[in-house]
Amino acid sequence: MADIRLEGIVKDYGSVRAIHGVDLSVNDGEFVAFVGPSGCGKSTMLRMIAGLEEISGGILRIGGRIVNEIEPKGRDVAMVFQDYALYPHMTIRDNIGFGLKMRGWKPGDIATRVTEAARILKIDDYLDRKPGQLSGGQRQRVAMGRAIVREPSVFLFDEPLSNLDAKLRVEMRTQIKRLHAMLGTTMIYVTHDQTEAMTLSDRVVVLKGGHIVQEGPPMELYARPNCRFVGEFIGSPQMNIFSGAVDRSGDRPKLRFGETALDLGAVAARDGDRIDVGLRPEHFTWAEAGAGRIAPTVDVYEPLGSDTLAICQLDGHELTARLDPHIPLAPHQRISLGYDPADLHYFDGTTGARLMTEPVPVS
């Protein structure tokens, strides 16, 4: 096992800078997920760690050793790709053991490693089959087995579940989490799916435009995003955002937009400031009395069994509420929703940065 240190890492493609001086530490045995929209640089960062992309600037250390100029095979890392990259003419047994064979391992030692990896991944019964005879999830486990037999210091996963259907993705998430608990190896996992990042990792790193926007434990990013971008990116369905002006003329501050006045908590914004207010769908309640109550109109609703998502319109803003599945809903129905102002998130209307939740002088 090994820790990983990125110190001022830069990646240029000609005159275009893709990664902008990233600093990041991944601890020995930690599971870290890189997330962000397409083109944010997450796969580029992973490929630089693997040695598949040249580093334009900065220092990369794996296990304390500077590896900028070291070839991929000398970095003691194993990478699992989204497309499996299996040899179709080889059996599963030969696919898993191929890397060891190329390194000159003895057949008996290869067989031992392959058998153990297959047992861990529960693909013992498929060793004599060809990749074309397996499902997508089984083939991805074979790709993982090929990485496991090498016993690397670091595992790198590049969107390994993106080609699988929803059911298989859930099953494979569980398999990967079990694998990390069993092996305790340092793992970096790239995904565009924030649900995968939240459920799998010890720490999530959110990237945008080649910069790290925020990093921390999954629930920390969920509960206290440092900007609107992270607030909307982390959480599913995504956070609702209401944009308007602060009104401090009454007993408590409000956000006004259209005919709606949203009750606010203690927010560091002055009267008339333009801010964005975030509220997660699961923090709405049905027809609660007291502070924090709005009356949107149902556009469509999606029964999910355990709950229902109501997609509504409110003075030019679309909002999603996660509600009890037994509540009767209909399109064009006007409903009453409550919320606790303590659940609101406040962002600067121009920069998107998180605002403090302490009051400021109104003068």
Side-chain angles (χ1 to χ4, degrees):
M1 295 187 287
D3 61 348
I4 301 170
R5 299 286 181 266
L6 284 72
E7 303 169 6
I9 292 295
V10 169
K11 178 60 182 177
D12 294 327
Y13 293 102
S15 61
V16 177
R17 177 150 293 182
I19 303 295
H20 301 262
V22 165
D23 294 303
L24 179 69
S25 295
V26 179
N27 298 323
D28 188 6
E30 190 177 17
F31 194 128
V32 171
F34 292 171
V35 298
S38 297
C40 70
K42 55 187 184 295
S43 288
T44 300
M45 291 241 300
L46 195 77
R47 291 175 66 84
M48 285 193 290
I49 294 169
L52 302 177
E53 288 277 2
E54 182 180 346
I55 297 171
S56 304
I59 296 174
L60 172 64
R61 303 177 193 268
I62 299 178
R65 181 177 57 145
I66 297 176
V67 298
N68 291 51
E69 305 301 328
I70 295 177
E71 294 294 316
K73 64 182 180 181
R75 298 192 181 195
D76 196 22
V77 303
M79 193 159 176
V80 179
F81 300 90
Q82 68 182 59
D83 60 359
Y84 321 132
L86 302 179
Y87 296 104
H89 62 286
M90 290 185 183
T91 64
I92 300 310
R93 187 188 310 278
D94 291 339
N95 264 284
I96 294 176
F98 183 73
L100 300 182
K101 182 179 179 181
M102 291 296 97
R103 287 172 173 79
W105 280 51
K106 296 178 181 179
D109 294 335
I110 294 175
T112 300
R113 285 282 184 93
V114 169
T115 300
E116 177 62 13
R119 182 192 65 78
I120 290 172
L121 295 167
K122 295 180 171 50
I123 51 175
D124 321 51
D125 297 336
Y126 311 128
L127 288 175
D128 294 318
R129 297 186 186 181
K130 301 284 182 66
Q133 297 173 287
L134 304 185
S135 69
Q138 289 165 342
R139 277 179 278 175
Q140 192 55 276
R141 277 186 276 170
V142 174
M144 289 166 58
R146 187 174 51 197
I148 288 173
V149 294
R150 292 178 49 196
E151 296 186 350
S153 297
V154 176
F155 279 105
L156 306 176
F157 295 88
D158 190 8
E159 303 199 46
L161 310 185
S162 60
N163 290 334
L164 306 181
D165 62 37
K167 182 174 182 295
L168 278 175
R169 282 201 302 273
V170 173
E171 291 176 1
M172 287 303 299
R173 282 207 312 262
T174 303
Q175 189 69 48
I176 292 171
K177 193 151 191 171
R178 283 198 190 112
L179 184 66
H180 182 249
M182 186 181 303
L183 301 178
T185 309
T186 307
M187 295 185 177
I188 299 181
Y189 189 101
V190 162
T191 179
H192 63 276
D193 185 335
Q194 55 89 31
T195 301
E196 287 181 15
M198 293 280 287
T199 55
L200 283 171
S201 66
D202 302 315
R203 186 156 49 108
V204 176
V205 177
V206 182
L207 292 114
K208 180 184 180 184
H211 297 271
I212 293 178
V213 182
Q214 188 174 1
E215 60 170 292
M219 289 308 298
E220 181 181 301
L221 270 62
Y222 171 86
R224 194 172 175 80
N226 67 2
C227 62
R228 173 175 170 169
F229 173 79
V230 174
E232 290 184 286
F233 196 85
I234 299 295
S236 181
Q238 75 175 36
M239 178 184 286
N240 297 293
I241 299 291
F242 306 98
S243 300
V246 175
D247 179 358
R248 289 186 174 273
S249 61
D251 294 337
R252 61 185 303 148
K254 297 180 181 295
L255 182 80
R256 294 196 179 276
F257 54 93
E259 299 299 317
T260 298
L262 202 69
D263 287 315
L264 304 179
V267 53
R270 299 175 184 273
D271 188 57
D273 282 357
R274 302 292 300 184
I275 68 171
D276 296 331
V277 176
L279 183 62
R280 297 199 180 278
E282 53 271 28
H283 290 154
F284 281 113
T285 54
W286 179 255
E288 288 270 339
R293 194 168 178 178
I294 55 176
T297 301
V298 176
D299 188 2
V300 295
Y301 62 95
E302 301 175 350
L304 300 176
S306 59
D307 47 39
T308 294
L309 296 182
I311 293 87
C312 308
Q313 298 295 325
L314 179 69
D315 276 331
H317 290 73
E318 182 175 279
L319 71 85
T320 300
R322 189 187 293 274
L323 302 173
D324 186 286
H326 301 102
I327 294 174
L329 296 174
H332 313 301
Q333 174 187 357
R334 193 170 176 83
I335 60 177
S336 182
L337 297 178
Y339 64 92
D340 184 342
D343 290 326
L344 297 175
H345 302 263
Y346 306 104
F347 307 107
D348 185 282
T350 302
T351 67
R354 185 180 186 88
L355 298 175
M356 293 186 296
T357 52
E358 290 83 26
V360 295
V362 297
S363 59

Coordinates of all heavy atoms in Angstrom, one line a residue, residues 8 12 18 31 55 72 86 135 183 185 223 232 239 286 301 313 336 353:
G8 N 1.1 20.8 -6.8 CA 1.1 21.7 -7.9 C 1.0 21.1 -9.3 O 1.7 21.6 -10.2
D12 N -1.0 20.5 -19.5 CA -1.2 21.4 -20.6 C -1.3 20.5 -21.9 O -0.6 19.6 -22.1 CB -0.1 22.4 -20.8 CG 0.1 23.4 -19.7 OD1 -1.0 23.7 -19.1 OD2 1.2 23.8 -19.4
A18 N -5.4 22.1 -18.9 CA -6.5 21.3 -18.4 C -6.5 21.1 -16.9 O -7.6 21.0 -16.3 CB -6.4 19.9 -19.1
F31 N -9.9 5.5 0.4 CA -10.7 5.4 -0.9 C -11.2 6.8 -1.2 O -12.0 7.4 -0.5 CB -11.9 4.5 -0.7 CG -12.6 4.0 -2.0 CD1 -12.8 2.7 -2.2 CD2 -13.0 4.9 -2.9 CE1 -13.4 2.3 -3.4 CE2 -13.6 4.6 -4.1 CZ -13.8 3.2 -4.3
I55 N 3.0 14.5 -17.1 CA 2.7 15.7 -16.2 C 3.5 16.9 -16.8 O 4.7 16.8 -17.0 CB 3.2 15.3 -14.8 CG1 2.4 14.1 -14.3 CG2 3.0 16.5 -13.9 CD1 2.9 13.6 -12.9
P72 N 4.6 3.6 -16.4 CA 3.5 3.0 -15.7 C 3.8 1.7 -15.0 O 3.4 1.5 -13.9 CB 2.4 2.8 -16.8 CG 2.7 3.9 -17.8 CD 4.2 4.0 -17.8
L86 N -10.7 -6.7 -22.1 CA -10.4 -8.2 -22.0 C -10.0 -8.7 -23.4 O -10.5 -8.2 -24.4 CB -11.6 -8.9 -21.4 CG -12.0 -8.5 -20.0 CD1 -13.2 -9.3 -19.6 CD2 -10.9 -8.6 -19.0
S135 N -21.8 -11.8 -18.5 CA -22.5 -10.5 -18.5 C -21.6 -9.3 -18.3 O -20.4 -9.5 -18.0 CB -23.5 -10.5 -17.4 OG -22.9 -10.5 -16.1
L183 N -9.2 -5.7 1.2 CA -7.8 -5.5 0.8 C -7.1 -4.3 1.5 O -5.9 -4.3 1.7 CB -7.7 -5.3 -0.7 CG -8.2 -6.4 -1.6 CD1 -8.1 -6.0 -3.1 CD2 -7.5 -7.7 -1.4
T185 N -6.4 -1.5 0.3 CA -5.5 -0.9 -0.6 C -5.9 0.6 -0.9 O -7.1 0.8 -1.0 CB -5.3 -1.7 -1.9 OG1 -5.1 -3.0 -1.6 CG2 -4.2 -1.1 -2.8
A223 N -23.8 18.2 3.5 CA -24.4 19.1 4.5 C -23.9 20.5 4.5 O -24.6 21.4 4.9 CB -24.1 18.5 5.9
E232 N -25.3 21.8 -5.8 CA -26.2 21.2 -6.8 C -25.6 19.9 -7.3 O -26.4 19.0 -7.7 CB -26.3 22.2 -8.0 CG -27.1 23.4 -7.7 CD -27.4 24.3 -8.9 OE1 -26.4 25.0 -9.3 OE2 -28.5 24.3 -9.4
M239 N -30.1 19.7 -5.4 CA -30.6 20.8 -4.6 C -31.4 21.8 -5.4 O -31.1 22.1 -6.5 CB -29.4 21.5 -4.0 CG -29.8 22.7 -3.1 SD -28.3 23.6 -2.5 CE -27.7 22.4 -1.2
W286 N -44.8 18.1 4.1 CA -46.2 18.3 3.6 C -47.0 19.2 4.5 O -47.3 18.9 5.6 CB -46.9 17.0 3.4 CG -48.3 17.1 2.9 CD1 -49.4 16.9 3.6 CD2 -48.7 17.4 1.5 NE1 -50.5 17.1 2.7 CE2 -50.1 17.4 1.5 CE3 -47.9 17.6 0.4 CZ2 -50.8 17.6 0.3 CZ3 -48.7 17.9 -0.8 CH2 -50.0 17.9 -0.8
Y301 N -45.3 14.3 -11.4 CA -44.8 13.7 -10.2 C -44.4 12.3 -10.6 O -44.9 11.7 -11.5 CB -45.9 13.6 -9.1 CG -47.2 12.9 -9.4 CD1 -47.4 11.6 -9.1 CD2 -48.2 13.5 -10.1 CE1 -48.5 10.9 -9.4 CE2 -49.4 12.9 -10.4 CZ -49.5 11.6 -10.1 OH -50.7 10.9 -10.4
Q313 N -43.7 24.0 -10.0 CA -43.4 25.4 -10.4 C -43.7 26.4 -9.4 O -44.8 26.3 -8.7 CB -44.1 25.7 -11.7 CG -43.8 24.8 -12.9 CD -42.3 25.0 -13.4 OE1 -41.7 26.1 -13.3 NE2 -41.7 23.9 -13.8
S336 N -49.2 22.7 -0.5 CA -48.6 23.5 0.5 C -47.4 22.7 1.1 O -47.6 21.5 1.5 CB -49.6 23.8 1.6 OG -49.0 24.6 2.6
A353 N -20.4 31.6 -4.1 CA -19.7 31.2 -2.9 C -20.7 31.1 -1.7 O -21.7 31.8 -1.7 CB -18.6 32.1 -2.5

